Amino acid sequence: MGVNSNRVEDFSSHTGSTKTTILKVSTEIPIPPPEPMEIHNVCPPPKKTTFQKLKHRFSEIFFPDDPLYGFKKQTWCKKLVLGLQFLFPIFQWGPEYNLSLFRSDVISGLTISSLAIPQGISYAKLANLSPTVGLYSSFVPPLVYSFLGSSRHLAVGPVSIPSLVMGTMLSESVSPVEEPILYLKLAFTATFFAGLFHASLGLLSLGFIIDFLSKATLVGFMAGAAVIVSLQQLKGLLGIVHFTGKMQFIPVMNAVFDHRKEWSWQTIATGFTFLLFLLTARHISMKKPKLFWVSAAAPLASVILSTLFVFCIKSKAHGISIIGHLQKGFNPPSSNMLYFNGQYLALAVKTGIVTGIVSLTEGIAVGRTFASLRNYQVDGNKEMMAIGLMNMAGSCTSCYVTTGSFSRSAVNYNAGAQTAISNVVLAAAVLVTLLFLMPLFYYTPNVILAAIIITAVIGLIDYQAAYKLWKVDKLDFLACVCSFFGVLFVSVPLGLAIAVGVSVFKIRLHVTRPNTVVLGNIPRTPIYQSFNRYREASRVPSFLILAIESPIYFANSTYLQERILRWIREEEEWIKANHESTLKCIIIDMTAVTAIDTSGIDMACELRKILEKRSLQHVLVNPVGSVMEKMHHSKILESFGMNSFYLTVGEAVGDISVSWKPQP
């Protein structure tokens, strides 16, 4: 190093008196000798009783959002008010409700009713139920949800995929044509069990169960179901009378072409004309969101226009089937029709649970989507309870399974809905229809219902999401494809089972085959990172540094031991081929090991014994608190010794390197 000095030199010109002074400062800074590295101890977590551990674990699993936080340090009166607000979210925004908010809710409620009424009639057909039941299901459930739901924009009612699932599962065992009363009983009973399933998940905070339906599997499942629903509507669009009740691609297409003689040109012309009209309206609203009302009003306009058209040519429209007579009146009670014993009870329970999973997944996802747009929170457990109680009440008032609809909720949001009162307005509009307007649907052609369903479900085919899955995660794309083709070629319920199975397989794959990486030092830093990610990372002579990036359980402990020994073998082969320093120490970075069980601890002991026999030092870096605690209780710390634990990889490398004596 140079000497730090300042030197002043004077230069005077020969011709003038100007004197220039130049100050030269040395840029060489003395570097003090390196200080010895401080080695930090790896400490176990503070001691807790078994009850404290169980309480903490229980609250973390079932109540991660701490729902009772707001009740702390409050008076009894305040706690009572908070309790009412917790159980009935309407009490949160009710005191601040005003005429301006009501005006917005009335407009949005009337707007979604123009979409909900024709969709309610249409979706009931998917479940093989009367159109009247579809309207019943658009009346009571929205009223119940408006008091219990926490979403301000969710518009509830019948939706396509749960309707299809229910219709498919029930019709496999009971014919809706030959045994209509029994079929109706099973539909109401399945709705009851779907609601009971929803409410139980919400009450017990078990919403994570529906997380087994990943985004990837849902994309494939929804797309496959949308294709099947659309193909089933060819019966109505082509005017076919005799059609298959199966929901697989091949039987449906066979039925379409086997009954070519039943095709009706009047029905085809009417159906495809209105289908083109509906798709055009949908395209306009997608291109210009401010014109959302175009697609919202199009279904009701189609129903009115097609009804008038058929009425005017009724003497010549023999080839066009119509809805016919619909019963007027308020929802009749149906609690006496619930089927709680008999040979079909298991079918009703199974249908309720499967339908409940699909409807709950869609409802929660839609509610959270629109809540994020307005920066407010939707409580998942409260939503599950609200949807559950809504369906349980619906099953007793002649309704079948309902949930939040994405298309209606989008219209509700764009129409300016401020609170759940928009659902009350929707229910009022449906009630007026039930009491006074039912005879007007007599001449409504069935083909228009098919066109409305196709227009609604076509939005469920999200090819952009599938392409993104392909670009980002090939395994997720595989799950999406398996789910799609499972629904398309096997069945809707089995397609859902395939979707769940693929999700579980993916979880098992990540758990049983965790990632392990070799770390190297980033030059001139104390940072150690993966060789694969950072090309500048360099090996540390005589060290093999590995990182485990998952918990260590019985399911992966054997794999991890075999993989670590393989890393060691490959490192020794590389050292031999490149004439490098002999391998002396194996460092395992456990920063990402969030948990360990007894099998994992046994694996660590066994690995240490194997390495000792091969004269290799074994060091663990930064085990988390719970891992350190279990190692302490299992007495593994005694066999390892506290000098085998370090806080960072840098400290481990530095301390061990100093302890080694130079080789002659």
Side-chain angles (χ1 to χ4, degrees):
M1 287 293 170
V3 179
N4 184 19
S5 61
N6 295 340
R7 182 162 59 91
V8 178
E9 298 183 5
D10 294 343
F11 297 91
S12 301
S13 67
H14 296 286
T15 57
S17 60
T18 303
K19 184 177 182 180
T20 303
T21 303
I22 299 175
L23 179 64
K24 291 186 177 180
V25 180
S26 172
T27 58
E28 297 180 353
I29 301 174
I31 298 178
E35 297 180 0
M37 179 181 292
E38 182 181 359
I39 306 300
H40 300 85
N41 293 326
V42 179
C43 303
K47 290 185 177 181
K48 291 183 180 180
T49 64
T50 302
F51 176 76
Q52 288 174 328
K53 294 176 186 175
L54 289 175
K55 179 182 176 183
H56 174 75
R57 191 62 182 157
F58 181 84
S59 63
E60 287 297 312
I61 292 174
F62 295 104
F63 305 103
D65 56 345
D66 193 9
L68 301 180
Y69 174 77
F71 290 81
K72 297 176 181 178
K73 299 180 181 179
Q74 301 289 347
T75 63
W76 283 106
C77 182
K78 182 64 175 177
K79 286 181 179 179
L80 178 62
V81 174
L82 290 174
L84 286 173
Q85 292 178 346
F86 182 80
L87 295 174
F88 304 98
I90 191 172
F91 287 107
Q92 293 179 355
W93 48 264
E96 300 176 358
Y97 200 71
N98 55 46
L99 188 60
S100 175
L101 295 177
F102 180 68
R103 188 184 301 114
S104 299
D105 287 336
V106 168
I107 294 172
S108 58
L110 292 175
T111 305
I112 58 174
S113 65
S114 67
L115 181 62
I117 291 172
Q119 282 190 351
I121 295 172
S122 304
Y123 292 157
K125 287 283 190 180
L126 287 177
N128 300 315
L129 296 169
S130 165
T132 311
V133 177
L135 289 179
Y136 290 159
S137 304
S138 300
F139 172 55
V140 172
L143 282 178
V144 176
Y145 182 82
S146 62
F147 286 90
L148 300 177
S150 58
S151 172
R152 303 173 197 167
H153 301 98
L154 194 69
V156 299
V159 286
S160 58
I161 305 303
S163 301
L164 172 68
V165 172
M166 175 175 284
T168 304
M169 295 185 69
L170 293 181
S171 61
E172 287 178 352
S173 302
V174 178
S175 171
V177 177
E178 298 175 1
E179 300 177 281
I181 302 300
L182 176 59
Y183 186 90
L184 192 60
K185 287 182 178 181
L186 292 177
F188 293 154
T189 308
T191 300
F192 176 83
F193 282 111
L196 184 63
F197 176 70
H198 296 159
S200 301
L201 290 182
L203 184 64
L204 301 175
S205 298
L206 296 175
F208 60 84
I209 290 177
I210 64 172
D211 292 336
F212 282 104
L213 276 176
S214 66
K215 171 70 174 177
T217 55
L218 276 177
V219 168
F221 174 78
M222 291 295 186
V227 172
I228 287 296
V229 169
S230 301
L231 293 177
Q232 272 284 336
Q233 301 320 302
L234 291 176
K235 173 187 176 181
L237 279 178
L238 301 176
I240 300 174
V241 178
H242 302 92
F243 203 72
T244 180
K246 296 182 179 179
M247 290 290 180
Q248 294 87 19
F249 178 81
I250 294 176
V252 170
M253 296 309 297
N254 285 338
V256 169
F257 292 104
D258 288 346
H259 298 90
R260 290 192 299 273
K261 293 181 180 180
E262 297 182 7
W263 292 12
S264 168
W265 69 266
Q266 299 102 321
T267 303
I268 294 173
T270 305
F272 280 94
T273 298
F274 281 101
L275 179 60
L276 181 62
F277 168 71
L278 290 167
L279 292 175
T280 302
R282 180 177 180 272
H283 180 74
I284 291 172
S285 296
M286 289 180 64
K287 288 294 183 181
K288 296 183 179 180
K290 290 184 178 180
L291 298 178
F292 67 91
W293 55 269
V294 174
S295 62
L300 185 59
S302 299
V303 169
I304 295 172
L305 292 174
S306 62
T307 303
L308 290 173
F309 172 73
V310 173
F311 177 77
C312 293
I313 63 166
K314 57 184 176 181
S315 59
K316 301 178 182 179
H318 300 295
I320 302 177
S321 66
I322 58 175
I323 290 178
H325 174 71
L326 294 179
Q327 181 182 348
K328 288 198 303 182
F330 182 74
N331 295 38
S334 58
S335 55
N336 61 324
M337 297 185 70
L338 296 180
Y339 188 97
F340 289 134
N341 55 63
Q343 61 175 327
Y344 295 111
L345 178 60
L347 172 64
V349 173
K350 182 175 70 172
T351 303
I353 292 176
V354 174
T355 308
I357 291 173
V358 178
S359 60
L360 186 61
T361 303
E362 183 173 355
I364 297 293
V366 172
R368 286 175 174 168
T369 297
F370 290 102
S372 64
L373 295 176
R374 286 293 181 89
N375 197 29
Y376 68 91
Q377 193 110 11
V378 168
D379 189 321
N381 291 322
K382 278 198 254 185
E383 282 296 285
M384 285 185 278
M385 291 188 66
I387 295 174
L389 294 175
M390 171 183 80
N391 279 304
M392 292 174 71
S395 68
C396 298
T397 53
S398 300
C399 304
Y400 79 105
V401 68
T402 54
T403 187
S405 163
F406 185 84
S407 59
R408 291 193 290 273
S409 299
V411 170
N412 198 30
Y413 175 84
N414 289 320
Q418 300 297 318
T419 68
I421 291 296
S422 59
N423 278 297
V424 177
V425 177
L426 164 63
V430 173
L431 179 61
V432 171
T433 303
L434 286 169
L435 295 177
F436 305 108
L437 305 180
M438 296 299 277
L440 300 179
F441 293 103
Y442 185 89
Y443 286 102
T444 301
N446 284 311
V447 66
I448 198 64
L449 304 183
I452 290 172
I453 291 173
I454 291 175
T455 306
V457 301
I458 201 170
L460 298 176
I461 304 174
D462 193 350
Y463 63 90
Q464 291 180 333
Y467 178 71
K468 184 178 179 181
L469 291 173
W470 168 258
K471 296 292 288 184
V472 175
D473 191 325
K474 300 297 188 293
L475 194 58
D476 270 351
F477 180 76
L478 177 63
C480 174
V481 170
C482 290
S483 179
F484 175 78
F485 286 110
V487 172
L488 209 58
F489 292 102
V490 184
S491 71
V492 174
L494 287 177
L496 180 63
I498 290 172
V500 175
V502 171
S503 298
V504 173
F505 172 75
K506 183 181 176 183
I507 294 172
R508 286 177 58 86
L509 191 63
H510 286 301
V511 170
T512 59
R513 295 295 182 267
N515 194 35
T516 57
V517 295
V518 180
L519 304 182
N521 178 245
I522 305 296
R524 298 177 297 279
T525 72
I527 300 171
Y528 290 80
Q529 286 292 343
S530 169
F531 280 124
N532 292 332
R533 286 184 61 195
Y534 298 90
R535 297 298 176 86
E536 66 271 25
S538 59
R539 280 179 164 83
V540 181
S542 301
F543 286 91
L544 174 60
I545 307 169
L546 301 173
I548 300 174
E549 299 180 340
S550 82
I552 303 176
Y553 291 128
F554 66 93
N556 61 22
S557 58
T558 302
Y559 167 80
L560 284 172
Q561 179 175 320
E562 293 173 352
R563 190 68 186 92
I564 291 170
L565 293 175
R566 177 183 163 190
W567 279 121
I568 295 172
R569 186 183 72 247
E570 291 174 351
E571 183 71 10
E572 289 176 337
E573 290 174 355
W574 183 88
I575 289 172
K576 185 177 180 180
N578 292 273
H579 307 289
E580 296 289 338
S581 302
T582 306
L583 183 62
K584 298 180 182 178
C585 181
I586 311 300
I587 298 177
I588 298 181
D589 186 356
M590 301 182 68
T591 303
V593 179
T594 55
I596 193 170
D597 67 359
T598 52
S599 297
I601 292 173
D602 290 342
M603 182 275 289
C605 292
E606 183 67 24
L607 181 63
R608 180 174 179 82
K609 292 176 183 177
I610 294 173
L611 297 182
E612 281 181 348
K613 290 178 181 179
R614 298 171 63 171
S615 300
L616 292 173
Q617 189 173 353
H618 185 200
V619 170
L620 304 180
V621 169
N622 195 29
V624 299
S626 60
V627 173
M628 196 68 180
E629 184 179 23
K630 288 185 178 181
M631 286 184 167
H632 172 69
H633 289 313
S634 64
K635 308 299 182 182
I636 192 176
L637 297 183
E638 297 176 3
S639 61
F640 269 75
M642 288 307 297
N643 60 344
S644 295
F645 292 86
Y646 289 88
L647 196 60
T648 67
V649 175
E651 290 184 7
V653 171
D655 187 52
I656 295 171
S657 299
V658 170
S659 67
W660 287 341
K661 295 180 179 179
Q663 298 296 322

